Amino acid sequence: MSKSPETKEISLQVDVNYMMSEYLGAREGISREEIQAKNQEFQEAVRHLKNKRSEMVWRDLPYNQDQVTEQIISFARQKKDACENFVVLGIGGSALGPMAVQQALNHLYYNELPKEQRGGWPRIYILDNVDPERFTHLLDIVDPAKTLFNVITKSGSTSETMAQFLIVVRLLRDRLGDAYKEHVVATTDAVKGNLIKIAQTENYPLFYVPEGVGGRFSELCPVGLLPAAMAGIDIKELLRGAAYMDQWIESKDEIWENPAYLRAVLHYLAYRKGKNISVMMPYADSLKYFADWYAQLWAESLGKRRTLAGEEIFAGQTPVKALGVTDQHSQVQLYTEGPFDKVINFLSVGQFRNSVVIPAGYEDIPAVSFLGGHTLNELMEVERVATEYALVQASRLNATILLPEVTPFTIGQLIYLFEVETAYAGELLKIDAFDQPGVEEGKNATYALMGRPGYEEARAKLNARPVKEAKYILKN
Ligand code: PA5
């Protein structure tokens, strides 16, 4: 991928100091000796992962999306002027990545800005639920005639997304007649599922989720690239950042030099010591939804009943989303004094896009006036350092990823880092990090209960489930 002249090579920094026994003591911390003792096992997992690279189609996305990227950019430019709103219909891996990237790279009140301050790009809404109120309320504020709906579903059959799609198509047809087709763009598998059939019959513009790319690993294909491009985000830089991280990871087999392997190993060892929870705590509102995206990636990939060999293990750390500094006033009490069952991951930002000075005032009240002359930027970082300090004092494992700046290039790195870290953690746990049988079961139960043909047997089984007893349901 070529590099535009104005871009800088800003690398993420992965800091694991406070995962180590030097700081946390032998009981809670992880020692170099512990890692060394399992070095053979860890290197074996590195080899496995490398051997499996060609099966992990998502790992090639930073390199093989050039053509589709051009198509997306040209499509986005073509639609830009007439489009006031861009609405994503999707859920899970078809929504969380787009949400995280929008929030990271756009103005934090992007939708409230006048169009010219959005660079002429439409407002972005990502409808990742089937809450009837949210759906109705969205339709209260967007005019379908000025809206482009991007229906995203890899499987082409997810009930939530297809229900949204049916509602939108009916609405558009009623309002716009045949012209409704100009207001739909589909992102789905090229062959499998129902959406592809509908899209081909009805002639919607189509972008494909490459074969073998699972939902939660799909941000760097049209699933994430189209919504990002529709908000004016530099998607080439996003991919270039991912490629940069890939090259870092691929060039270093040694655990201590490889950010994805090192973080995965430390989380794995922590998990083995009973740290069943992995908290993702960005200290930046722009990174808030990265915690949501990470939660799905970590939970769906690693939460598995069986190993690849079929043994029952019920594996997985539970991801928890938090936001600095907000959750210092909500969850940090638990993190410092509650059970020793967590690893806290901070995302910190070196240089925010804005700086806000706290003015002097109330000189007669030193407990207030001391803040004057500092910046909110300083306060944010100081509070993160203070939390880190409190955690270390309480012997709690924590690690930090620093984004020197939040740019498409560093966000591309972050996405790719977490994806490989998750894949490597899956290797260490000896589970399949790329399936989601538990989710499929829920999807199938929904089909059955909603009367989808072919699911009659499942429906009968579900209807025969134990009846809830009134004595356990309290009402006044
Ligand atoms: O990661 C996954 O595979 C899932 O979370 C899916 O993304 C989610 O279930 C939505 O599936 P689909 O894109 O097929 O509608």
Side-chain angles (χ1 to χ4, degrees):
M1 189 142 305
S2 63
K3 164 166 133 39
S4 37
E6 71 279 8
T7 54
K8 293 181 275 173
E9 306 289 29
I10 301 173
S11 166
L12 299 192
Q13 289 176 35
V14 174
D15 172 0
V16 299
N17 273 282
Y18 299 149
M19 297 291 283
M20 307 305 297
S21 56
E22 286 105 303
Y23 297 95
L24 302 184
R27 192 173 60 97
E28 288 304 313
I30 295 161
S31 67
R32 292 184 80 94
E33 292 69 36
E34 264 173 283
I35 296 177
Q36 187 52 37
K38 286 183 172 282
N39 194 41
Q40 220 177 325
E41 185 188 320
F42 295 155
Q43 288 303 329
E44 188 58 19
V46 168
R47 267 191 296 281
H48 271 174
L49 200 70
K50 288 202 155 208
N51 290 341
K52 281 195 340 203
R53 179 161 180 141
S54 62
E55 293 163 37
M56 293 186 285
V57 182
W58 53 271
R59 291 209 57 177
D60 295 330
L61 296 175
Y63 308 103
N64 65 13
Q65 297 297 287
D66 284 7
Q67 202 184 338
V68 79
T69 297
E70 293 303 338
Q71 287 163 1
I72 286 173
I73 292 171
S74 130
F75 177 84
R77 285 196 187 127
Q78 202 187 304
K79 290 287 182 182
K80 182 178 177 183
D81 290 343
C83 181
E84 291 296 325
N85 312 294
F86 183 83
V87 176
V88 170
L89 308 175
I91 199 161
S94 295
L96 289 161
M99 270 159 64
V101 168
Q102 294 299 326
Q103 175 86 2
L105 296 170
N106 276 330
H107 190 287
L108 291 172
Y109 295 97
Y110 174 84
N111 280 350
E112 279 76 38
L113 292 174
K115 194 167 182 180
E116 58 281 8
Q117 285 183 42
R118 282 184 262 122
W121 295 102
R123 293 182 204 92
I124 305 287
Y125 297 97
I126 299 172
L127 207 51
D128 68 337
N129 204 352
V130 286
D131 183 309
E133 291 174 6
R134 183 159 157 210
F135 209 97
T136 311
H137 295 180
L138 179 73
L139 295 175
D140 286 343
I141 60 158
V142 304
D143 176 356
K146 294 180 183 160
T147 301
L148 180 60
F149 293 90
N150 182 198
V151 51
I152 309 180
T153 166
K154 153 112 186 137
S155 63
S157 61
T158 302
S159 303
E160 295 88 341
T161 307
M162 295 314 282
Q164 293 175 336
F165 172 68
L166 283 166
I167 297 165
V168 162
V169 165
R170 167 60 61 90
L171 184 88
L172 287 170
R173 267 191 175 137
D174 289 351
R175 286 280 303 276
L176 308 170
D178 257 4
Y180 87 93
K181 291 177 189 170
E182 284 156 36
H183 295 263
V184 179
V185 50
T187 307
T188 191
D189 189 277
V191 184
K192 290 181 224 143
N194 307 312
L195 183 61
I196 185 70
K197 292 180 206 136
I198 298 170
Q200 281 168 345
T201 311
E202 309 214 340
N203 225 3
Y204 303 142
L206 257 169
F207 290 97
Y208 300 114
V209 186
E211 160 98 61
V213 173
R216 55 194 177 274
F217 293 87
S218 67
E219 176 51 25
L220 299 172
C221 78
V223 169
L225 298 180
L226 177 59
M230 284 302 301
I233 289 170
D234 187 342
I235 58 176
K236 290 186 181 176
E237 272 299 283
L238 209 57
L239 291 168
R240 206 175 66 82
Y244 177 87
M245 179 55 73
D246 182 48
Q247 282 147 26
W248 180 1
I249 290 169
E250 271 308 277
S251 63
K252 308 282 181 196
D253 285 356
E254 168 56 39
I255 302 292
W256 289 103
E257 293 175 350
N258 187 306
Y261 299 164
L262 181 59
R263 280 186 46 86
V265 159
L266 293 171
H267 274 79
Y268 171 77
L269 291 173
Y271 173 64
R272 288 282 174 242
K273 289 183 170 198
K275 315 303 170 209
N276 290 319
I277 296 172
S278 175
V279 177
M280 184 55 66
M281 190 168 188
Y283 270 71
D285 278 41
S286 65
L287 301 175
K288 179 176 178 176
Y289 292 118
F290 256 90
D292 294 62
W293 175 80
Y294 166 83
Q296 185 211 16
L297 183 68
W298 203 243
E300 244 177 48
S301 303
L302 305 181
K304 295 293 152 71
R305 176 175 178 167
R306 294 184 190 282
T307 63
L308 284 165
E311 290 149 22
E312 266 190 343
I313 56 162
F314 301 104
Q317 266 183 329
T318 303
V320 168
K321 311 177 274 184
L323 178 67
V325 305
T326 308
D327 283 311
Q328 282 182 214
H329 301 270
S330 160
Q331 299 189 39
V332 168
Q333 170 62 30
L334 174 74
Y335 300 168
T336 51
E337 293 198 356
F340 285 81
D341 58 356
K342 298 172 196 67
V343 177
I344 322 294
N345 298 279
F346 296 120
L347 297 180
S348 94
V349 172
Q351 206 178 333
F352 285 85
R353 285 167 285 220
N354 301 94
S355 178
V356 178
V357 176
I358 307 167
Y362 305 103
E363 302 300 334
D364 52 326
I365 315 175
V368 173
S369 66
F370 78 98
L371 292 166
H374 292 287
T375 60
L376 290 184
N377 310 50
E378 268 179 279
L379 186 57
M380 194 83 164
E381 178 56 7
V382 159
E383 295 214 32
R384 192 194 65 75
V385 171
T387 304
E388 193 180 52
Y389 172 77
L391 290 171
V392 174
Q393 289 302 103
S395 306
R396 309 302 168 125
L397 293 160
N398 67 91
T400 300
I401 299 173
L402 169 72
L403 289 85
E405 292 172 23
V406 177
T407 65
F409 185 67
T410 57
I411 289 298
Q413 290 179 54
L414 191 64
I415 292 170
Y416 201 83
L417 169 67
F418 281 144
E419 288 180 347
V420 181
E421 175 181 331
T422 304
Y424 188 63
E427 282 304 313
L428 298 174
L429 290 165
K430 299 190 169 51
I431 49 101
D432 183 346
F434 305 109
D435 66 356
Q436 53 283 323
V439 179
E440 303 305 336
E441 195 158 322
K443 283 189 179 183
N444 290 336
T446 305
Y447 296 149
L449 290 171
M450 293 294 279
R452 180 171 162 177
Y455 288 78
E456 293 74 13
E457 205 179 311
R459 184 161 194 219
K461 253 194 196 164
L462 274 156
N463 285 341
R465 68 192 183 277
V467 177
K468 284 189 176 174
E469 293 198 38
K471 67 183 177 193
Y472 295 127
I473 300 174
L474 308 190
K475 60 180 180 188
N476 202 351

